[in-house]
Amino acid sequence: MLFNFPLKNLAKETNRESFRKVLIVRLPCNPIFPIGPIYLADHIHKCFPEIDQQFIDLAIVPLNKVSKYLKRKIDQFRPHIIVYSWRDIQIYAPVDGRSGNPLQNSFEVFYSSNILKKIRGAWGGLKLITSHYEEINRNTSLVKMGLNRAQKYNKSVKVILGGGAVSVFYEQLGKLLPKGTIISVGEGENLIEKVLKGDSIIEERCYLAGQKPRNKLIHEQPSGTIKTACNYKYIKSIWAEFDWYIEGGDYYVGVQTKRGCPHNCCFCVYGVVEGKKVRVNPVNEIIEEMKQLYEMGVRGFWFTDAQFIPTKNHIQDAKLLLQAIKDQGWTDLKWAAYIRADNIDRELAQLMVETGMSYFEIGITSGSQELVRKMQLAYNLKTVLENCRMLVEAGFRNHVSVNYSFNVFDETPNTIKQTVAYHRELENIFGKGLVDPAIFFIGLQPHTLLEKYALENNILKPSYNPMSMMPWTARKLLWNPGPLGKKLGEVCLEAFDNKDDEFGKTVINILERNYGKSSLDDSLKVRKLSERKLTAAKV
């Protein structure tokens, strides 16, 4: 497969000897342990131990100091390659984004009948819009400034930009970056290896800023790489602020046990970015990585996989890993992950409890089996309940977060009643105080089935900008269509006014008050295919 623009073979332009110093920069974001760029630095070191590297995490630097901090590091280190990692672009964070609450601001503008609340929502929304564009401008400016600064010392400096935000919005960001910037989609180990070797990158999921990416670039499957234990002694030597995350004690440190997601959830981009093929890391390598961190004082681990147990075929992989953790005798360890709770058996449930699972998230999205199927989530809600009971029988007594996204496809008062019934059953299983409903309204993302649906039904125009926060676009991208959307918006506004209870629990209570509760059997039923044709949502 060829690029549809002329891409010179890097081997003709450069050679490996010119790349003696690599600076890896995590751009400002919420301070979450930067596992992606760490793994990239580790991979570079294993392939090219002679290359000098430095890593800086701008997420832990005050925003008014990041530019000076980056300039100083470049002046001191004088890199030949700068690799930037852009973790996320918080366009429609469900609740409490970095600069406020976009859900509350939007719903006050769209649905409130109180003029003062509309004004408050509009003012909050204006601040969010300003913050959003400032963040994009700041990060792209840091990339440009870093390149210009480094060119004072090395005219042939290369810049690579990757990370979660780039993978999702690579088509839009390419227009905002210096021409020639290598824009990486998905995992970047093989790409950086080829750049450092001077090999052609024509087969990698990337393109050069200023040019047009090949069609459906993100849908190409990653070539993959063999994952071994990260060498944290080395990472600590190239990252002066490494202990910032360790000394706090409350941070969960990321460990990846696999890559890829085989599912086709209509609103999710994980399976597109990471690829459909699940690649499981060797258990001994995962344990070696965790052992290093444990000896450094880490006691909380977050398995960063898209799903820790993506299918029933991966139950055995989870058992092998957790048994190996148990064999280490780490009795004070705690861990958490995204769990597909329909992929658990009794033995695995016991191991999960014995190894310190302290919390998990269930992304069922709805308590209606029919809607779960329409959204292509591949969950069996009855099995989820059975397995949750197994976890409790095994001794699990910690918090569970259950993600609900109302009004994605064909939501009705009846399906709302089904979700209420299902949630109440989860509370019966775990205990009411331990089940935390997380209420999401989908922020429509590019490259998803939901985007395809919106385009096919003329809800969005092909020329729409997925990075836009302008009100006329935001109303469509913050997905809550149809007449029911207004009703749900009003429910959320009432819940925001309740300061005595958590938002999610209040929403469920109001929905039960307004719509009632179905039987659990109704929640688990699916009508005949002829009776459940998907209807086009109206905006």
Side-chain angles (χ1 to χ4, degrees):
M1 184 180 291
L2 297 177
F3 283 89
N4 56 7
F5 58 88
L7 177 65
K8 296 179 181 178
N9 188 326
L10 288 179
K12 296 179 181 179
E13 292 185 280
T14 61
N15 58 72
R16 179 174 158 186
E17 295 302 316
S18 66
F19 298 137
R20 298 185 302 277
K21 293 182 178 182
V22 176
L23 176 64
I24 298 180
V25 181
R26 207 256 290 256
L27 292 168
C29 62
N30 289 332
I32 298 170
F33 192 74
I35 193 67
I38 284 175
Y39 281 171
L40 189 66
D42 178 67
H43 183 78
I44 293 172
H45 181 62
K46 286 168 179 169
C47 295
F48 310 99
E50 73 280 7
I51 287 180
D52 191 9
Q53 292 190 87
Q54 289 290 309
F55 173 66
I56 58 174
D57 180 13
L58 297 182
I60 61 175
V61 177
L63 285 179
N64 61 349
K65 297 181 180 179
V66 293
S67 183
K68 289 183 179 179
Y69 187 91
L70 179 58
K71 287 178 183 177
R72 184 168 67 249
K73 177 60 69 173
I74 290 172
D75 290 342
Q76 294 170 347
F77 189 56
R78 302 185 178 187
H80 303 104
I81 292 182
I82 306 177
V83 181
Y84 290 95
S85 176
W86 193 335
R87 184 183 184 274
D88 59 17
I89 293 177
Q90 291 279 13
I91 293 189
Y92 301 106
V95 177
D96 293 335
R98 281 195 287 274
S99 302
N101 190 328
L103 186 63
Q104 182 171 0
N105 293 147
S106 300
F107 281 13
E108 285 181 342
V109 173
F110 297 155
Y111 306 122
S112 180
S113 57
N114 184 318
I115 188 62
L116 294 179
K117 285 187 177 181
K118 279 186 176 292
I119 293 172
R120 182 178 68 182
W123 177 245
L126 180 60
K127 290 193 291 185
L128 281 168
I129 291 170
T130 302
S131 173
H132 169 70
Y133 288 109
E134 283 179 348
E135 181 174 328
I136 292 173
N137 181 64
R138 181 191 64 236
N139 284 4
T140 54
S141 295
L142 287 171
V143 174
K144 296 171 186 175
M145 182 275 290
L147 172 62
N148 293 334
R149 195 80 173 187
Q151 284 177 334
K152 291 173 57 179
Y153 310 105
N154 301 288
K155 294 297 183 184
S156 60
V157 166
K158 295 289 180 186
V159 171
I160 302 174
L161 178 68
V166 181
S167 295
V168 176
F169 300 107
Y170 67 95
E171 295 164 300
Q172 291 74 35
L173 288 173
K175 302 169 185 176
L176 306 177
L177 297 166
K179 289 185 178 180
T181 300
I182 301 173
I183 299 172
S184 172
V185 175
E187 56 200 63
E189 287 93 342
N190 289 339
L191 171 62
I192 188 67
E193 188 177 336
K194 286 183 177 181
V195 170
L196 290 169
K197 285 180 178 178
D199 292 344
S200 169
I201 59 174
I202 200 167
E203 296 297 330
E204 293 301 314
R205 291 205 295 174
C206 68
Y207 78 104
L208 302 182
Q211 303 291 342
K212 185 178 180 181
R214 58 183 180 260
N215 190 37
K216 295 185 178 180
L217 174 62
I218 193 171
H219 292 281
E220 297 173 11
Q221 295 302 295
S223 53
T225 186
I226 298 174
K227 181 72 176 68
T228 57
C230 182
N231 181 346
Y232 272 100
K233 182 178 179 181
Y234 172 73
I235 296 301
K236 194 170 182 178
S237 73
I238 66 169
W239 181 15
E241 295 82 16
F242 175 84
D243 288 334
W244 191 91
Y245 288 94
I246 308 302
E247 292 174 348
D250 294 331
Y251 280 92
Y252 280 78
V253 172
V255 172
Q256 192 171 60
T257 78
K258 62 186 68 64
R259 287 181 182 176
C261 182
H263 299 289
N264 293 297
C265 304
C266 69
F267 48 77
C268 183
V269 77
Y270 272 114
V272 181
V273 173
E274 294 193 7
K276 296 296 182 187
K277 183 179 179 181
V278 178
R279 295 154 285 154
V280 181
N281 298 336
V283 169
N284 62 314
E285 299 292 344
I286 300 169
I287 293 297
E288 173 57 30
E289 185 171 317
M290 293 179 69
K291 187 176 182 180
Q292 295 177 63
L293 291 165
Y294 188 89
E295 291 174 350
M296 293 177 176
V298 175
R299 294 297 182 268
F301 293 89
W302 175 266
F303 294 129
T304 63
D305 317 349
Q307 291 289 345
F308 182 55
I309 319 166
T311 69
K312 285 180 169 53
N313 292 334
H314 296 94
I315 290 176
Q316 186 60 29
D317 296 315
K319 287 180 182 178
L320 292 173
L321 174 58
L322 296 182
Q323 183 60 54
I325 290 174
K326 182 180 176 181
D327 292 343
Q328 296 297 312
W330 295 331
T331 56
D332 55 346
L333 179 145
K334 59 181 180 179
W335 64 269
Y338 293 116
I339 304 288
R340 287 191 68 93
D342 52 346
N343 299 326
I344 299 173
D345 63 19
R346 195 165 297 278
E347 181 185 3
L348 179 56
Q350 194 65 47
L351 281 169
M352 293 165 85
V353 173
E354 291 176 350
T355 53
M357 184 176 72
S358 60
Y359 160 87
F360 73 98
E361 296 192 16
I362 306 175
I364 55 174
T365 306
S366 173
S368 166
Q369 183 65 66
E370 186 169 306
L371 291 190
V372 165
R373 286 198 182 182
K374 284 185 177 180
M375 292 183 281
Q376 302 187 31
L377 306 187
Y379 267 110
N380 184 311
L381 294 184
K382 183 177 180 180
T383 303
V384 170
L385 291 177
E386 292 169 352
N387 292 350
C388 287
R389 292 186 186 101
M390 278 196 305
L391 280 168
V392 172
E393 290 167 6
F396 183 77
R397 299 291 185 273
N398 292 313
H399 277 262
V400 179
S401 178
V402 188
N403 297 341
Y404 296 115
S405 296
F406 290 102
N407 208 21
V408 179
F409 285 140
D410 288 2
E411 191 82 72
T412 66
N414 193 46
T415 58
I416 290 173
K417 289 192 287 187
Q418 292 171 5
T419 294
V420 172
Y422 194 85
H423 184 77
R424 295 308 184 206
E425 184 60 21
L426 285 172
E427 291 180 335
N428 290 338
I429 293 170
F430 290 107
K432 188 171 183 178
L434 294 177
V435 182
D436 303 320
I439 308 300
F440 292 79
F441 284 81
I442 297 299
L444 190 148
Q445 296 188 91
H447 322 299
T448 60
L449 294 173
L450 187 59
E451 182 199 44
K452 181 181 178 183
Y453 170 80
L455 291 169
E456 289 176 349
N457 287 276
N458 298 317
I459 297 168
L460 292 173
K461 295 180 180 179
S463 60
Y464 91 101
N465 179 7
M467 286 175 58
S468 172
M469 275 196 78
M470 292 296 102
W472 48 89
T473 303
R475 182 142 198 181
K476 296 180 179 181
L477 297 188
L478 187 56
W479 190 263
N480 187 33
L484 191 59
K486 185 175 190 302
K487 297 291 185 183
L488 290 170
E490 291 169 350
V491 167
C492 290
L493 290 177
E494 183 178 345
F496 283 126
D497 285 340
N498 181 8
K499 307 303 181 184
D500 298 327
D501 203 354
E502 298 169 25
F503 172 73
K505 292 179 179 178
T506 304
V507 168
I508 297 294
N509 290 339
I510 297 172
L511 290 174
E512 184 171 15
R513 181 198 69 196
N514 291 358
Y515 296 99
K517 181 180 72 169
S518 75
S519 69
L520 183 61
D521 285 344
D522 283 345
S523 299
L524 304 179
K525 286 179 183 177
V526 178
R527 291 176 295 168
K528 295 178 182 178
L529 183 62
S530 59
E531 299 175 5
R532 52 186 172 93
K533 182 180 179 182
L534 185 65
T535 58
K538 302 296 182 183
V539 177

